[in-house]
Amino acid sequence: MSDPPKYILEGLEKQSPETLREIAQIATEMADRKESQREAELEEQEVDDQPEDLNCDNAPSSATLTKKEINGNQYYYWQWREGEKIKSEYIRPVDPKR
């Protein structure tokens, strides 16, 4: 886990214990919501039919093939979970001619 930004810590330091507990609850709810959104995105992006020319030998263990759209272009990525984090590894464009 990385350290929170200094400006956040400085602001928290000025708060009462009651306010800090409220902030902790809000932060926990926010983290849960973001994790749920990330899970939903992962499920939506899974590719059903894997391209025949895609080499799976180099795929990370337990990775699934996903498609991501960036600036109107689609790309293949490997995606997998390491603990609480979702990791991605770029493969190539969906349309190799682009």
Side-chain angles (χ1 to χ4, degrees):
M1 187 165 94
S2 62
D3 292 333
K6 186 177 178 182
Y7 72 93
I8 291 177
L9 293 176
E10 289 171 350
L12 290 173
E13 196 63 44
K14 299 173 186 176
Q15 305 305 313
S16 69
E18 295 81 15
T19 300
L20 288 171
R21 285 187 182 88
E22 289 177 23
I23 292 170
Q25 183 176 351
I26 292 167
T28 298
E29 291 169 1
M30 190 179 294
D32 290 345
R33 186 176 66 249
K34 287 188 173 210
E35 283 179 345
S36 294
Q37 289 171 341
R38 195 178 306 152
E39 287 287 329
E41 288 172 7
L42 238 182
E43 290 173 8
E44 286 176 12
Q45 295 173 351
E46 286 185 19
V47 175
D48 293 331
D49 295 326
Q50 185 168 310
E52 292 178 16
D53 63 336
L54 192 63
N55 180 1
C56 298
D57 296 338
N58 299 331
S61 63
S62 74
T64 56
L65 182 63
T66 61
K67 267 193 241 182
K68 292 186 182 184
E69 186 167 324
I70 302 170
N71 295 329
N73 298 308
Q74 291 187 330
Y75 302 93
Y76 286 123
Y77 281 82
W78 292 119
Q79 264 186 337
W80 67 99
R81 188 175 270 293
E82 284 184 11
E84 295 296 315
K85 295 188 177 189
I86 295 175
K87 302 283 188 162
S88 295
E89 182 180 310
Y90 171 78
I91 304 171
R92 66 172 172 84
V94 171
D95 181 2
K97 298 172 188 165
R98 293 190 121 198

XYZ file of all heavy atoms in Angstrom:
808
model
N 0.854 -1.181 0.000
C 0.000 0.000 0.000
C 0.891 1.231 0.000
O 1.875 1.308 0.719
C -0.905 -0.038 1.236
C -1.933 1.049 1.226
S -3.242 0.772 2.420
C -2.635 1.682 3.796
N 0.536 2.209 -0.818
C 1.325 3.433 -0.888
C 0.828 4.437 0.148
O -0.299 4.359 0.639
C 1.242 4.039 -2.288
O -0.097 4.382 -2.574
N 1.683 5.357 0.487
C 1.322 6.391 1.456
C 0.354 7.382 0.827
O 0.515 7.765 -0.334
C 2.574 7.147 1.914
C 3.499 6.260 2.742
O 3.001 5.317 3.378
O 4.717 6.527 2.755
N -0.654 7.821 1.581
C -1.574 8.840 1.060
C -0.820 10.145 0.809
O 0.196 10.421 1.447
C -2.599 9.017 2.186
C -2.442 7.839 3.072
C -1.040 7.371 2.910
N -1.321 10.978 -0.101
C -0.679 12.263 -0.357
C -0.601 13.107 0.915
O -1.493 13.056 1.777
C -1.591 12.918 -1.402
C -2.348 11.797 -2.021
C -2.481 10.756 -0.958
N 0.443 13.875 1.006
C 0.705 14.700 2.187
C -0.451 15.657 2.476
O -0.840 15.849 3.625
C 2.002 15.482 1.977
C 2.449 16.259 3.178
C 3.788 16.944 2.918
C 4.208 17.762 4.121
N 5.474 18.457 3.874
N -1.031 16.265 1.428
C -2.116 17.227 1.640
C -3.339 16.574 2.282
O -4.066 17.204 3.039
C -2.494 17.951 0.351
C -3.226 17.107 -0.677
C -4.610 17.078 -0.706
C -2.534 16.359 -1.613
C -5.292 16.317 -1.639
C -3.212 15.589 -2.549
C -4.586 15.571 -2.555
O -5.257 14.820 -3.473
N -3.571 15.300 2.002
C -4.687 14.601 2.632
C -4.370 14.344 4.105
O -5.202 14.580 4.982
C -5.013 13.291 1.895
C -5.604 13.603 0.521
C -5.974 12.414 2.712
C -5.899 12.407 -0.327
N -3.173 13.862 4.372
C -2.787 13.596 5.755
C -2.815 14.860 6.603
O -3.262 14.833 7.755
C -1.399 12.953 5.803
C -1.311 11.544 5.211
C 0.129 11.061 5.219
C -2.218 10.591 5.965
N -2.363 15.968 6.038
C -2.377 17.230 6.783
C -3.805 17.646 7.116
O -4.078 18.127 8.217
C -1.662 18.323 5.990
C -0.163 18.132 5.926
C 0.532 19.089 4.967
O -0.159 19.798 4.197
O 1.775 19.115 4.983
N -4.726 17.466 6.172
C -6.124 17.806 6.418
C -6.750 16.886 7.453
O -7.524 17.326 8.310
N -6.425 15.598 7.394
C -6.972 14.654 8.365
C -6.474 14.935 9.775
O -7.211 14.767 10.749
C -6.608 13.218 7.961
C -7.294 12.668 6.716
C -6.706 11.308 6.352
C -8.796 12.582 6.912
N -5.240 15.351 9.881
C -4.632 15.629 11.181
C -5.409 16.690 11.958
O -5.422 16.695 13.188
C -3.178 16.069 10.979
C -2.323 16.027 12.215
C -2.168 14.617 12.787
O -1.936 13.673 12.016
O -2.289 14.482 14.015
N -6.105 17.552 11.267
C -6.836 18.658 11.894
C -8.242 18.260 12.342
O -8.944 19.067 12.947
C -6.937 19.834 10.908
C -5.598 20.386 10.499
C -5.759 21.424 9.406
C -4.389 21.869 8.895
N -4.512 22.795 7.778
N -8.667 17.043 12.049
C -10.043 16.626 12.298
C -10.212 15.983 13.678
O -9.271 15.419 14.238
C -10.503 15.644 11.217
C -10.361 16.167 9.810
C -11.065 17.490 9.595
O -12.213 17.660 9.981
N -10.368 18.430 8.961
N -11.445 16.047 14.178
C -11.781 15.417 15.456
C -11.881 13.903 15.265
O -12.051 13.425 14.136
C -13.121 15.955 15.967
O -14.170 15.488 15.137
N -11.829 13.136 16.353
C -11.986 11.681 16.225
C -13.315 11.288 15.578
O -13.350 10.356 14.770
C -11.924 11.191 17.681
C -11.151 12.235 18.402
C -11.495 13.532 17.723
N -14.388 12.013 15.899
C -15.687 11.701 15.318
C -15.680 11.901 13.803
O -16.179 11.064 13.037
C -16.790 12.575 15.952
C -17.017 12.313 17.427
C -15.999 13.020 18.345
O -15.269 13.937 17.895
O -15.929 12.627 19.516
N -15.106 13.015 13.372
C -15.032 13.304 11.934
C -14.154 12.278 11.229
O -14.482 11.816 10.128
C -14.510 14.733 11.698
O -15.402 15.654 12.332
C -14.399 15.056 10.221
N -13.056 11.893 11.860
C -12.175 10.886 11.266
C -12.899 9.551 11.090
O -12.730 8.878 10.073
C -10.918 10.700 12.114
C -9.916 11.846 12.057
C -8.820 11.651 13.094
C -9.319 11.974 10.661
N -13.737 9.176 12.050
C -14.507 7.932 11.923
C -15.521 8.028 10.778
O -15.727 7.066 10.033
C -15.194 7.606 13.241
C -14.220 7.071 14.278
C -14.904 6.580 15.548
N -13.908 6.138 16.489
C -13.308 6.948 17.388
N -13.626 8.216 17.448
N -12.398 6.458 18.202
N -16.138 9.187 10.631
C -17.073 9.388 9.514
C -16.338 9.312 8.177
O -16.820 8.696 7.224
C -17.775 10.736 9.651
C -18.789 10.786 10.775
C -19.416 12.166 10.940
O -19.421 12.952 9.968
O -19.904 12.450 12.046
N -15.169 9.943 8.117
C -14.357 9.908 6.893
C -13.944 8.480 6.575
O -13.984 8.052 5.419
C -13.132 10.832 7.025
C -13.589 12.293 7.061
C -12.133 10.591 5.901
C -12.492 13.282 7.438
N -13.577 7.723 7.592
C -13.181 6.326 7.386
C -14.330 5.513 6.805
O -14.139 4.700 5.894
C -12.701 5.711 8.702
N -15.542 5.738 7.315
C -16.705 5.020 6.797
C -16.977 5.401 5.346
O -17.230 4.542 4.494
C -17.939 5.313 7.651
C -19.152 4.549 7.199
C -20.353 4.767 8.103
O -20.239 5.351 9.162
N -21.499 4.291 7.668
N -16.904 6.702 5.049
C -17.118 7.166 3.676
C -16.059 6.572 2.744
O -16.365 6.097 1.647
C -17.105 8.709 3.615
C -18.335 9.264 4.336
C -17.025 9.210 2.174
C -18.275 10.760 4.607
N -14.799 6.565 3.187
C -13.706 6.034 2.363
C -13.892 4.538 2.113
O -13.654 4.055 0.997
C -12.363 6.309 3.026
N -14.341 3.808 3.125
C -14.574 2.370 2.962
C -15.690 2.115 1.958
O -15.562 1.266 1.069
C -14.924 1.730 4.320
O -13.812 1.910 5.201
C -15.220 0.248 4.173
N -16.772 2.875 2.069
C -17.882 2.718 1.125
C -17.451 3.081 -0.290
O -17.830 2.422 -1.262
C -19.065 3.577 1.567
C -19.724 3.074 2.838
C -20.724 4.055 3.437
O -20.939 5.148 2.864
O -21.292 3.725 4.493
N -16.646 4.129 -0.410
C -16.164 4.557 -1.720
C -15.255 3.484 -2.334
O -15.361 3.167 -3.521
C -15.399 5.879 -1.581
C -15.052 6.546 -2.880
S -14.160 8.114 -2.639
C -15.425 9.099 -1.849
N -14.377 2.902 -1.514
C -13.479 1.849 -1.999
C -14.277 0.631 -2.449
O -13.986 0.044 -3.500
C -12.480 1.474 -0.908
N -15.311 0.260 -1.672
C -16.152 -0.880 -2.053
C -16.841 -0.628 -3.389
O -16.907 -1.518 -4.242
C -17.201 -1.155 -0.975
C -16.593 -1.707 0.313
O -15.436 -2.145 0.295
O -17.308 -1.678 1.343
N -17.363 0.579 -3.574
C -18.051 0.920 -4.824
C -17.089 0.860 -6.013
O -17.417 0.308 -7.064
C -18.685 2.303 -4.713
C -19.545 2.662 -5.907
C -20.251 3.998 -5.766
N -19.300 5.101 -5.753
C -19.022 5.869 -4.693
N -19.636 5.679 -3.549
N -18.148 6.853 -4.774
N -15.879 1.399 -5.827
C -14.903 1.381 -6.921
C -14.462 -0.041 -7.259
O -14.273 -0.371 -8.432
C -13.696 2.257 -6.566
C -14.020 3.727 -6.636
C -12.778 4.568 -6.468
C -13.136 6.012 -6.715
N -12.030 6.762 -7.251
N -14.306 -0.892 -6.249
C -13.955 -2.289 -6.516
C -15.063 -2.996 -7.287
O -14.793 -3.765 -8.203
C -13.673 -3.027 -5.206
C -12.319 -2.716 -4.626
C -12.071 -3.431 -3.309
O -13.044 -3.947 -2.696
O -10.920 -3.447 -2.882
N -16.312 -2.724 -6.931
C -17.441 -3.323 -7.643
C -17.476 -2.865 -9.095
O -17.735 -3.665 -10.003
C -18.762 -2.958 -6.956
O -18.830 -3.527 -5.688
N -17.217 -1.580 -9.315
C -17.178 -1.057 -10.681
C -16.063 -1.721 -11.483
O -16.255 -2.088 -12.638
C -16.970 0.457 -10.672
C -18.160 1.234 -10.199
C -17.860 2.716 -9.992
O -16.708 3.124 -9.864
N -18.903 3.520 -9.940
N -14.909 -1.888 -10.857
C -13.770 -2.515 -11.535
C -14.098 -3.960 -11.894
O -13.779 -4.424 -12.987
C -12.532 -2.447 -10.637
C -11.263 -2.745 -11.391
C -10.037 -2.632 -10.547
N -9.941 -1.357 -9.871
C -9.317 -1.170 -8.710
N -8.746 -2.180 -8.102
N -9.257 0.015 -8.162
N -14.745 -4.674 -10.974
C -15.155 -6.056 -11.249
C -16.127 -6.111 -12.427
O -16.017 -6.962 -13.294
C -15.812 -6.670 -10.010
C -14.856 -7.000 -8.895
C -13.999 -8.203 -9.207
O -14.458 -9.103 -9.928
O -12.862 -8.239 -8.713
N -17.088 -5.194 -12.443
C -18.068 -5.154 -13.529
C -17.383 -4.881 -14.860
O -17.710 -5.492 -15.874
C -19.130 -4.099 -13.243
N -16.416 -3.966 -14.865
C -15.677 -3.669 -16.087
C -14.918 -4.887 -16.562
O -14.868 -5.169 -17.758
C -14.709 -2.510 -15.855
C -15.376 -1.171 -15.704
C -14.398 -0.084 -15.286
O -13.174 -0.341 -15.236
O -14.863 1.027 -14.991
N -14.315 -5.611 -15.642
C -13.567 -6.815 -16.002
C -14.480 -7.833 -16.665
O -14.134 -8.407 -17.695
C -12.977 -7.428 -14.730
C -11.483 -7.620 -14.649
C -11.089 -8.284 -13.361
C -10.866 -8.242 -15.833
N -15.652 -8.065 -16.085
C -16.577 -9.038 -16.640
C -17.099 -8.612 -18.002
O -17.277 -9.432 -18.889
C -17.735 -9.254 -15.672
C -17.326 -9.980 -14.419
C -18.427 -10.052 -13.389
O -19.569 -9.672 -13.713
O -18.144 -10.479 -12.266
N -17.351 -7.315 -18.200
C -17.873 -6.820 -19.475
C -16.865 -6.972 -20.600
O -17.228 -7.147 -21.736
C -18.227 -5.337 -19.354
C -19.475 -5.070 -18.575
C -19.727 -3.587 -18.396
O -19.064 -2.778 -19.072
O -20.577 -3.233 -17.582
N -15.596 -6.896 -20.297
C -14.571 -6.837 -21.325
C -14.040 -8.200 -21.736
O -13.274 -8.298 -22.675
C -13.395 -5.981 -20.838
C -13.755 -4.543 -20.616
C -12.618 -3.772 -19.989
O -11.617 -4.331 -19.574
N -12.773 -2.474 -19.909
N -14.407 -9.258 -21.041
C -13.861 -10.560 -21.380
C -14.211 -10.943 -22.813
O -15.316 -10.712 -23.277
C -14.361 -11.631 -20.410
C -13.701 -11.544 -19.062
C -14.102 -12.679 -18.145
O -14.596 -13.713 -18.633
O -13.911 -12.518 -16.939
N -13.265 -11.524 -23.506
C -13.423 -11.898 -24.909
C -13.866 -13.357 -24.975
O -13.238 -14.231 -24.387
C -12.093 -11.700 -25.667
C -12.203 -12.188 -27.098
C -11.682 -10.245 -25.615
N -14.964 -13.605 -25.692
C -15.478 -14.964 -25.811
C -14.671 -15.800 -26.799
O -14.300 -16.924 -26.517
C -16.945 -14.942 -26.234
C -17.841 -14.361 -25.160
O -17.506 -14.487 -23.965
O -18.867 -13.763 -25.508
N -14.419 -15.254 -27.972
C -13.697 -15.976 -29.014
C -12.289 -15.425 -29.136
O -12.084 -14.298 -29.580
C -14.416 -15.851 -30.358
C -15.772 -16.522 -30.332
O -15.892 -17.554 -29.646
O -16.700 -16.020 -30.983
N -11.333 -16.241 -28.760
C -9.931 -15.818 -28.820
C -9.423 -15.904 -30.259
O -9.668 -16.884 -30.940
C -9.106 -16.736 -27.923
C -7.671 -16.326 -27.821
C -6.995 -17.090 -26.719
O -7.504 -17.146 -25.609
N -5.866 -17.677 -27.018
N -8.736 -14.859 -30.733
C -8.193 -14.900 -32.090
C -7.221 -16.068 -32.253
O -6.456 -16.379 -31.339
C -7.454 -13.571 -32.228
C -7.919 -12.729 -31.111
C -8.414 -13.627 -30.045
N -7.260 -16.706 -33.414
C -6.411 -17.878 -33.664
C -4.930 -17.544 -33.650
O -4.111 -18.379 -33.281
C -6.787 -18.508 -35.007
C -8.159 -19.128 -35.007
C -8.529 -19.705 -36.356
O -7.639 -19.905 -37.199
O -9.725 -19.954 -36.564
N -4.579 -16.316 -34.045
C -3.172 -15.959 -34.142
C -2.583 -15.435 -32.830
O -1.439 -15.023 -32.787
C -2.963 -14.903 -35.243
C -3.675 -13.600 -34.927
O -4.654 -13.611 -34.156
O -3.249 -12.563 -35.460
N -3.331 -15.499 -31.756
C -2.860 -14.976 -30.475
C -2.116 -16.068 -29.718
O -2.640 -17.147 -29.478
C -4.050 -14.485 -29.650
C -3.710 -13.674 -28.436
C -3.001 -12.380 -28.835
C -4.975 -13.322 -27.675
N -0.883 -15.793 -29.353
C -0.042 -16.745 -28.632
C -0.355 -16.666 -27.135
O -0.099 -15.656 -26.496
C 1.432 -16.423 -28.887
C 2.360 -17.376 -28.178
O 1.929 -18.306 -27.507
N 3.652 -17.146 -28.325
N -0.882 -17.733 -26.592
C -1.253 -17.766 -25.171
C -0.132 -18.293 -24.283
O -0.258 -18.307 -23.065
C -2.481 -18.636 -24.965
S -3.915 -18.016 -25.839
N 0.966 -18.723 -24.877
C 2.055 -19.296 -24.097
C 2.665 -18.281 -23.128
O 3.170 -18.656 -22.078
C 3.156 -19.830 -25.021
C 2.659 -20.982 -25.883
O 1.653 -21.622 -25.492
O 3.260 -21.229 -26.939
N 2.627 -17.004 -23.496
C 3.225 -15.971 -22.656
C 2.224 -15.308 -21.715
O 2.560 -14.343 -21.040
C 3.871 -14.891 -23.535
C 4.966 -15.457 -24.405
O 5.613 -16.428 -24.043
N 5.173 -14.865 -25.560
N 1.016 -15.825 -21.680
C -0.018 -15.213 -20.839
C 0.289 -15.449 -19.364
O 0.720 -16.532 -18.984
C -1.381 -15.799 -21.171
N 0.079 -14.441 -18.536
C 0.240 -14.640 -17.089
C -0.735 -15.710 -16.604
O -1.818 -15.878 -17.163
C -0.113 -13.278 -16.495
C 0.058 -12.305 -17.612
C -0.277 -13.062 -18.864
N -0.338 -16.439 -15.577
C -1.227 -17.491 -15.079
C -2.531 -16.880 -14.580
O -2.546 -15.784 -14.033
C -0.545 -18.273 -13.955
O -0.290 -17.427 -12.867
N -3.597 -17.554 -14.821
C -4.969 -17.164 -14.459
C -5.444 -15.882 -15.144
O -6.413 -15.279 -14.711
C -5.135 -17.045 -12.938
O -4.520 -15.870 -12.449
N -4.801 -15.479 -16.228
C -5.217 -14.272 -16.952
C -6.357 -14.600 -17.907
O -6.458 -15.714 -18.412
C -4.047 -13.686 -17.726
N -7.207 -13.610 -18.131
C -8.238 -13.731 -19.145
C -7.977 -12.689 -20.224
O -7.406 -11.630 -19.953
C -9.649 -13.503 -18.562
O -9.686 -12.226 -17.936
C -10.013 -14.572 -17.558
N -8.393 -12.999 -21.419
C -8.229 -12.083 -22.531
C -9.342 -11.045 -22.473
O -10.515 -11.386 -22.335
C -8.296 -12.846 -23.851
C -8.092 -12.025 -25.114
C -6.703 -11.417 -25.157
C -8.342 -12.887 -26.337
N -8.979 -9.776 -22.539
C -9.958 -8.698 -22.510
C -9.692 -7.724 -23.646
O -8.602 -7.685 -24.206
C -9.916 -7.924 -21.173
O -8.630 -7.355 -21.007
C -10.232 -8.823 -20.002
N -10.727 -6.952 -23.975
C -10.619 -5.887 -24.973
C -10.855 -4.573 -24.254
O -11.771 -4.458 -23.443
C -11.712 -6.011 -26.029
C -11.335 -6.773 -27.238
C -12.388 -6.550 -28.312
C -13.030 -7.857 -28.685
N -14.013 -7.720 -29.749
N -10.016 -3.588 -24.562
C -10.221 -2.246 -24.035
C -10.300 -1.288 -25.200
O -9.578 -1.431 -26.181
C -9.053 -1.825 -23.138
C -8.957 -2.588 -21.855
C -7.873 -2.014 -20.979
C -7.734 -2.809 -19.706
N -6.742 -2.212 -18.808
N -11.194 -0.309 -25.088
C -11.291 0.722 -26.109
C -10.654 1.995 -25.577
O -11.008 2.480 -24.507
C -12.738 0.984 -26.490
C -12.842 1.946 -27.660
C -14.232 1.990 -28.261
O -14.904 0.948 -28.314
O -14.615 3.083 -28.686
N -9.699 2.507 -26.335
C -8.988 3.728 -25.969
C -8.984 4.641 -27.179
O -8.500 4.258 -28.245
C -7.541 3.422 -25.523
C -7.554 2.441 -24.338
C -6.805 4.704 -25.154
C -6.200 1.889 -23.973
N -9.567 5.822 -27.025
C -9.636 6.802 -28.115
C -10.217 6.199 -29.394
O -9.724 6.440 -30.494
C -8.266 7.402 -28.398
C -7.744 8.201 -27.237
O -8.511 8.790 -26.483
N -6.437 8.222 -27.067
N -11.256 5.378 -29.249
C -11.929 4.812 -30.413
C -11.246 3.594 -31.014
O -11.754 3.011 -31.968
N -10.112 3.179 -30.473
C -9.399 2.002 -30.961
C -9.500 0.888 -29.927
O -9.464 1.152 -28.721
C -7.928 2.319 -31.221
C -7.764 3.366 -32.289
O -8.308 3.246 -33.376
N -7.036 4.419 -31.983
N -9.596 -0.368 -30.397
C -9.685 -1.495 -29.480
C -8.354 -2.231 -29.413
O -7.679 -2.402 -30.426
C -10.784 -2.452 -29.915
C -12.166 -1.869 -29.739
C -13.245 -2.895 -30.004
O -13.069 -3.812 -30.801
N -14.368 -2.749 -29.317
N -8.033 -2.684 -28.196
C -6.766 -3.369 -27.941
C -7.027 -4.609 -27.089
O -7.918 -4.613 -26.254
C -5.789 -2.456 -27.194
C -5.496 -1.183 -27.924
C -6.232 -0.030 -27.675
C -4.497 -1.123 -28.888
C -5.979 1.147 -28.358
C -4.229 0.051 -29.577
C -4.974 1.174 -29.307
O -4.722 2.344 -29.991
N -6.224 -5.664 -27.317
C -6.273 -6.847 -26.473
C -5.315 -6.667 -25.304
O -4.204 -6.148 -25.465
C -5.838 -8.095 -27.244
C -6.857 -8.611 -28.231
C -6.542 -8.756 -29.572
C -8.122 -8.990 -27.798
C -7.469 -9.246 -30.470
C -9.055 -9.480 -28.696
C -8.722 -9.604 -30.027
O -9.651 -10.095 -30.909
N -5.765 -7.130 -24.144
C -4.944 -7.129 -22.929
C -5.162 -8.444 -22.205
O -6.237 -9.035 -22.289
C -5.397 -6.018 -21.965
C -4.915 -4.641 -22.308
C -5.571 -3.877 -23.256
C -3.818 -4.095 -21.668
C -5.144 -2.598 -23.575
C -3.380 -2.817 -21.971
C -4.045 -2.074 -22.921
O -3.616 -0.815 -23.219
N -4.158 -8.892 -21.467
C -4.351 -9.942 -20.479
C -4.730 -9.225 -19.194
O -4.153 -8.193 -18.859
C -3.074 -10.739 -20.238
C -2.627 -11.569 -21.396
C -1.449 -11.456 -22.071
C -3.329 -12.640 -22.011
N -1.384 -12.376 -23.062
C -2.524 -13.122 -23.050
C -4.562 -13.237 -21.783
C -2.920 -14.179 -23.861
C -4.953 -14.288 -22.592
C -4.131 -14.757 -23.616
N -5.711 -9.755 -18.470
C -6.080 -9.202 -17.172
C -6.186 -10.325 -16.163
O -6.698 -11.395 -16.474
C -7.413 -8.441 -17.232
C -7.204 -6.983 -17.424
C -8.503 -6.196 -17.331
O -9.592 -6.709 -17.535
N -8.378 -4.931 -17.037
N -5.665 -10.061 -14.956
C -5.712 -11.046 -13.893
C -5.692 -10.330 -12.553
O -5.474 -9.137 -12.464
C -4.550 -12.025 -14.010
C -3.198 -11.412 -13.774
C -2.474 -11.454 -12.613
C -2.406 -10.661 -14.693
N -1.291 -10.772 -12.769
C -1.221 -10.277 -14.043
C -2.591 -10.262 -16.020
C -0.231 -9.519 -14.653
C -1.586 -9.500 -16.625
C -0.426 -9.153 -15.954
N -5.945 -11.072 -11.521
C -6.007 -10.516 -10.171
C -4.781 -10.974 -9.378
O -4.417 -12.141 -9.419
C -7.281 -11.006 -9.488
C -7.571 -10.364 -8.187
C -8.903 -10.843 -7.662
N -10.021 -10.048 -8.082
C -10.245 -8.785 -7.723
N -9.393 -8.161 -6.961
N -11.325 -8.150 -8.127
N -4.182 -10.023 -8.683
C -3.115 -10.326 -7.724
C -3.554 -9.746 -6.389
O -3.466 -8.538 -6.176
C -1.787 -9.704 -8.159
C -1.115 -10.439 -9.276
C 0.251 -9.875 -9.641
O 0.779 -9.033 -8.879
O 0.775 -10.275 -10.687
N -4.075 -10.612 -5.531
C -4.619 -10.138 -4.260
C -5.823 -9.252 -4.522
O -6.768 -9.643 -5.179
N -5.772 -8.023 -4.048
C -6.873 -7.076 -4.219
C -6.755 -6.267 -5.510
O -7.660 -5.533 -5.863
C -6.911 -6.109 -3.025
C -7.232 -6.784 -1.708
C -8.625 -7.376 -1.686
O -9.568 -6.708 -2.122
O -8.761 -8.537 -1.242
N -5.627 -6.389 -6.204
C -5.386 -5.558 -7.391
C -5.660 -6.323 -8.675
O -5.420 -7.516 -8.766
C -3.939 -5.056 -7.402
C -3.637 -4.128 -6.263
C -2.282 -3.529 -6.420
C -2.055 -2.548 -5.285
N -0.859 -1.781 -5.487
N -6.172 -5.596 -9.668
C -6.359 -6.140 -11.004
C -5.196 -5.645 -11.859
O -4.938 -4.447 -11.944
C -7.702 -5.701 -11.602
C -8.850 -6.299 -10.769
C -7.810 -6.124 -13.062
C -10.216 -5.849 -11.188
N -4.486 -6.570 -12.459
C -3.324 -6.249 -13.288
C -3.694 -6.424 -14.759
O -4.532 -7.253 -15.105
C -2.152 -7.174 -12.953
C -1.709 -7.120 -11.505
C -0.912 -5.878 -11.269
C -0.314 -5.911 -9.884
N 0.767 -4.989 -9.739
N -3.047 -5.655 -15.625
C -3.266 -5.740 -17.070
C -1.935 -5.755 -17.788
O -0.983 -5.131 -17.336
C -4.055 -4.527 -17.564
O -5.344 -4.507 -17.033
N -1.910 -6.458 -18.910
C -0.717 -6.476 -19.764
C -1.157 -6.333 -21.216
O -1.962 -7.126 -21.717
C 0.044 -7.782 -19.562
C 1.318 -7.874 -20.367
C 2.038 -9.187 -20.118
O 2.232 -9.550 -18.943
O 2.384 -9.849 -21.119
N -0.644 -5.319 -21.895
C -0.985 -5.046 -23.293
C -0.511 -6.194 -24.178
O 0.585 -6.727 -23.998
C -0.321 -3.735 -23.734
C -0.428 -3.467 -25.206
C -1.607 -2.975 -25.749
C 0.634 -3.710 -26.060
C -1.721 -2.730 -27.107
C 0.535 -3.460 -27.414
C -0.641 -2.981 -27.934
O -0.755 -2.734 -29.275
N -1.348 -6.564 -25.153
C -0.976 -7.588 -26.125
C -0.772 -6.966 -27.494
O 0.335 -6.934 -28.012
C -2.035 -8.713 -26.213
C -2.262 -9.339 -24.833
C -1.599 -9.760 -27.220
C -3.427 -10.292 -24.789
N -1.873 -6.450 -28.078
C -1.796 -5.844 -29.422
C -3.150 -5.228 -29.764
O -4.131 -5.469 -29.077
C -1.407 -6.882 -30.472
C -2.460 -7.962 -30.689
C -2.076 -8.831 -31.888
N -2.910 -9.976 -32.055
C -4.090 -9.990 -32.694
N -4.569 -8.895 -33.219
N -4.773 -11.094 -32.812
N -3.217 -4.467 -30.875
C -4.523 -3.961 -31.314
C -5.421 -5.118 -31.747
O -4.932 -6.155 -32.216
C -4.193 -3.080 -32.520
C -2.741 -2.787 -32.421
C -2.121 -3.937 -31.687
N -6.734 -4.961 -31.601
C -7.684 -5.970 -32.063
C -7.588 -6.076 -33.581
O -7.565 -7.168 -34.126
C -9.127 -5.604 -31.623
C -10.148 -6.520 -32.285
C -9.244 -5.680 -30.105
N -7.476 -4.958 -34.254
C -7.294 -4.919 -35.714
C -5.811 -4.650 -35.971
O -5.368 -3.514 -35.893
C -8.156 -3.817 -36.327
C -8.026 -3.756 -37.836
O -7.297 -4.588 -38.419
O -8.657 -2.870 -38.425
N -5.013 -5.682 -36.290
C -3.572 -5.508 -36.462
C -3.191 -4.520 -37.561
O -2.074 -4.026 -37.583
C -3.075 -6.914 -36.829
C -4.176 -7.846 -36.481
C -5.436 -7.053 -36.514
N -4.138 -4.183 -38.455
C -3.836 -3.252 -39.552
C -3.801 -1.815 -39.078
O -3.361 -0.939 -39.794
C -4.871 -3.408 -40.660
C -4.855 -4.792 -41.268
C -6.014 -4.959 -42.215
C -6.081 -6.420 -42.646
N -7.347 -6.733 -43.268
N -4.291 -1.537 -37.872
C -4.348 -0.159 -37.371
C -3.075 0.218 -36.713
O -2.386 -0.365 -36.065
C -5.492 0.014 -36.401
C -6.807 -0.122 -37.127
C -7.914 0.287 -36.256
N -8.555 1.378 -36.978
C -9.352 2.253 -36.445
N -9.594 2.234 -35.195
N -9.918 3.160 -37.164
